[in-house]
Amino acid sequence: HDATMWWDDPPPDAASFDALCAKSGGRVRAGESATTGGGRALFATAPVAKGEMIFRESPALLLQDPANRPLARSCARCHSMLRGAPNETACAQGCGEGYCDERCRVAHVEQGSHGLLCVGPIDSWEHPLAALKLACARDDDGDGHLAIIAEMCARCIVSAARRGDASSSGASSSSSGASTAVAAALDDANLRTYVAGAVWDWTGASGGDGARARCEAHARMIREAMASHEGKLRGAEALMDPASGVVGARGVAELAGVLARNSLAVAVESSAPSSAPASAPGDAS
C-alpha cells in the first residue's frame, strides 16, 4: 500500500519513555541494550537492594481466561476475587458478569468494553455478539487470544466513539485521517506503543498462512459483533474498516502480534474450596 497506515508508525525510541521513568520516581531510565542486542531496556539509576520495590505499574490490559471463569470468579473489571467480597454486585442487564462493587460495575459499562460486549439483552446464541462470546470460551485450539483481542477492539471503539473525532465520523474518507483516528484510539487504550508487526509475518508455528486465516476469521467475527451495536459506533467508523481498522484482518494481526510479544500468564490466589483449582490464570498485556 502507498498510504502510511497506523501500523507503519515506528516504535517509540528510548527517550520517549523519559517522562514515564520520571513519573515512577526516577529509579530507572530507558535505554538501548547495546550489549545484548535486545532493543530497549530499563536500567537502574542507583544501586538497588535485593527485594526493594523500584516502581509499580498496572498492565495495559488484563483479562481472565474464559475457560477459567467457571472455576474462579473474579471482578470483570479489576479482577479481584469475588469469593467473600462484601459489596459484590452483578451486571444490571443480566449477562452474569460479577463485580466487586458498584463502582467497578458502572466503570466497566461507561468507560470500559462491557457496553459493547454485554450479552444480557440478547435472547439467541445465533446473535453475532453471543456467537463471539461463545467462540472466546471455546478458543483453546489456537493461541487462546480471541477474547483479549475482542477486548482490545472494544476498548478502542469505545474510545473513538467517546472522542467523536471528525476524522473517524465519516467526515473525512482519507486514509491518513482514518489512520490518525485509529492511532488516537490505540493511544487512549495504552496499546499503540506495543504495535510492532503483524503476527502472520512471523516464521514458524506462530505465523504464516495459518495465522493469516485465523486473523481473518477473528476479524470477521469481531466486526460482525461490533456492527450489531450500530447506535454506539458513531465516531468509530474508521476503526470498523475491514482494510485499515483495528477490526480488519491486518488490524487483528497487529493486535495478535502485540499479545505474542507482550502477554503474560498470571496466577492469582482464589481462596477457592479444595475441590476447585487454587489459582485463576489469565492474560495480561
Side-chain angles (χ1 to χ4, degrees):
H1 52 82
D2 297 326
T4 299
M5 303 303 294
W6 55 272
W7 52 72
D8 293 320
D9 292 339
D13 58 21
S16 302
F17 296 92
D18 288 347
L20 285 174
C21 290
K23 187 177 180 180
S24 70
R27 304 294 304 280
V28 294
R29 65 173 179 82
E32 301 299 328
S33 182
T35 57
T36 64
R40 297 185 301 272
L42 289 178
F43 299 88
T45 57
V48 179
K50 181 179 179 180
E52 180 181 355
M53 182 178 294
I54 302 173
F55 67 92
R56 184 194 301 269
E57 66 176 354
S58 299
L61 191 147
L62 182 64
L63 195 71
Q64 187 177 3
D65 187 335
N68 174 253
R69 298 182 67 179
L71 305 176
R73 296 179 62 250
S74 68
C75 175
R77 178 177 178 265
C78 73
H79 298 284
S80 61
M81 302 310 299
L82 291 179
R83 184 174 176 82
N87 299 312
E88 179 180 350
T89 187
C91 173
Q93 298 193 90
C95 72
E97 290 281 24
Y99 300 93
C100 60
D101 58 26
E102 184 69 6
R103 179 184 60 85
C104 269
R105 185 192 70 78
V106 172
H108 200 209
V109 174
E110 295 183 354
Q111 303 167 19
S113 62
H114 195 57
L116 291 178
L117 295 177
C118 178
V119 296
I122 296 170
D123 58 6
S124 170
W125 284 109
E126 300 300 318
H127 190 283
L129 182 55
L132 171 63
K133 299 287 281 211
L134 187 59
C136 289
R138 294 174 173 174
D139 184 32
D140 293 326
D141 57 339
D143 52 22
H145 282 164
L146 176 56
I148 201 166
I149 290 174
E151 178 79 10
M152 287 172 155
C153 291
R155 290 193 185 191
C156 289
I157 289 170
V158 167
S159 170
R162 187 182 300 124
R163 277 173 170 264
D165 196 313
S167 65
S168 64
S169 66
S172 170
S173 60
S174 70
S175 59
S176 60
S179 184
T180 299
V182 176
L186 287 164
D187 273 335
D188 288 346
N190 296 318
L191 296 172
R192 189 182 182 194
T193 56
Y194 298 105
V195 173
V199 73
W200 62 43
D201 291 333
W202 286 33
T203 58
S206 298
D209 292 340
R212 184 180 296 273
R214 189 161 59 248
C215 289
E216 289 173 348
H218 286 355
R220 184 168 55 253
M221 186 175 296
I222 295 170
R223 192 164 56 249
E224 290 175 355
M226 296 297 100
S228 67
H229 288 293
E230 185 176 356
K232 297 181 180 180
L233 301 181
R234 182 176 178 81
E237 289 85 352
L239 281 77
M240 293 288 292
D241 190 290
S244 60
V246 293
V247 291
R250 176 61 186 262
V252 165
E254 293 287 346
L255 296 181
V258 169
L259 294 177
R261 294 174 178 87
N262 300 284
S263 64
L264 298 172
V266 180
V268 180
E269 292 299 325
S270 65
S271 301
S274 57
S275 59
S279 62
D283 285 315
S285 174

